[in-house]
Amino acid sequence: DAGVIQSPRHEVTEMGQEVTLRCKPISGHDYLFWYRQTMMRGLELLIYFNNNVPIDDSGMPEDRFSAKMPNASFSTLKIQPSEPRDSAVYFCASSSRVSSTDTQYFGPGTRLTVL
Amino acid sequence: TQLLEQSPQFLSIQEGENLTVYCNSSSVFSSLQWYRQEPGEGPVLLVTVVTGGEVKKLKRLTFQFGDARKDSSLHITAAQPGDTGLYLCAGYDYKLSFGAGTTVTVRA
């Protein structure tokens, strides 16, 4: 079975440009999570969806960040305008449920560099 | 400020040695998970511990959840180069909060 798919794997852009990261969760999983990983702050939850509806976006850094999930098999994380401090690895994860014993399956990540 | 503090931050040992990684918090969690992440990949779940005092073994890896469900440890016996990676602990309280991780390098 295919795991979580993310694209692109690497993105280099210039400050001020719009960046769109894409994620395809595992089929049948109702929950989708976006995380950001940096050396300074580790792995942080940005937002998560249940059945395509955003449930908790308290981790989204600021209005420059937005996330959508138009259907059960696709989600995007957009940064507009991008800034150098947005440079990080962005992970998408999915799970069939959310509980204390739930397993989240992570994608390979998108490494974003903003110059 | 990290909700979960991991120590040490880096660990480099020789093949065959033992190692222990610690995960501490002032908060109580419903469960605690350990993940391993290899370069260029996403974290992969190793184990979930739920009950205070619980001990789980996964081959050469032993995981323990503190009695008060605030801390955990990961012990690797006779480490191998394949154990090299970033080890992350994550506490569950309606959502996962991750520690900063411990980078483990096992030299052949």
Side-chain angles (χ1 to χ4, degrees):
Chain A
D1 289 338
V4 175
I5 299 172
Q6 292 187 246
S7 65
R9 291 296 310 274
H10 302 273
E11 177 79 43
V12 180
T13 190
E14 293 188 348
M15 183 174 63
Q17 296 298 307
E18 178 180 296
V19 175
T20 299
L21 311 181
R22 297 171 175 80
C23 175
K24 177 179 170 57
I26 293 172
S27 178
H29 281 187
D30 293 332
Y31 291 86
L32 184 141
F33 308 83
W34 282 101
Y35 289 89
R36 178 173 68 176
Q37 187 174 41
T38 62
M39 289 292 292
M40 291 295 294
R41 300 176 68 88
L43 195 61
E44 305 172 279
L45 176 65
L46 300 177
I47 185 172
Y48 80 91
F49 295 82
N50 176 214
N51 290 325
N52 313 336
V53 177
I55 302 300
D56 184 346
D57 65 354
S58 60
M60 295 287 263
E62 47 196 277
D63 292 345
R64 298 185 297 107
F65 285 69
S66 63
K68 294 182 179 180
M69 193 165 185
N71 58 62
S73 60
F74 183 66
S75 178
T76 60
L77 178 67
K78 185 179 294 185
I79 308 173
Q80 167 62 21
S82 59
E83 296 182 3
R85 60 192 169 120
D86 301 331
S87 297
V89 181
Y90 291 81
F91 288 100
C92 176
S94 71
S95 67
S96 57
R97 58 185 184 137
V98 172
S99 74
S100 61
T101 56
D102 164 64
T103 299
Q104 291 188 19
Y105 297 87
F106 284 78
T110 295
R111 180 173 295 277
L112 173 65
T113 302
V114 183
L115 302 174
Chain B
T1 304
Q2 294 282 349
L3 200 59
L4 288 158
E5 298 291 335
Q6 286 190 240
S7 61
Q9 187 177 358
F10 299 96
L11 194 54
S12 180
I13 61 171
Q14 200 71 30
E15 181 177 3
E17 294 181 342
N18 301 332
L19 69 94
T20 302
V21 176
Y22 300 93
C23 176
N24 295 292
S25 175
S26 57
S27 301
V28 177
F29 293 102
S30 302
S31 68
L32 198 135
Q33 298 184 330
W34 283 93
Y35 290 78
R36 181 168 67 205
Q37 183 179 11
E38 298 188 17
E41 299 181 8
V44 175
L45 180 66
L46 295 174
V47 77
T48 301
V49 285
V50 179
T51 306
E54 182 177 2
V55 177
K56 278 192 174 179
K57 291 190 176 183
L58 187 66
K59 296 184 180 179
R60 295 176 294 98
L61 278 62
T62 301
F63 305 85
Q64 187 163 5
F65 202 11
D67 291 340
R69 306 208 320 271
K70 294 182 179 181
D71 56 87
S72 181
S73 63
L74 157 61
H75 182 78
I76 301 179
T77 303
Q80 299 176 359
D83 296 325
T84 292
L86 176 67
Y87 288 82
L88 296 160
C89 66
Y92 180 83
D93 183 18
Y94 300 103
K95 59 185 178 183
L96 284 178
S97 297
F98 283 83
T102 295
T103 299
V104 172
T105 303
V106 182
R107 305 184 304 274

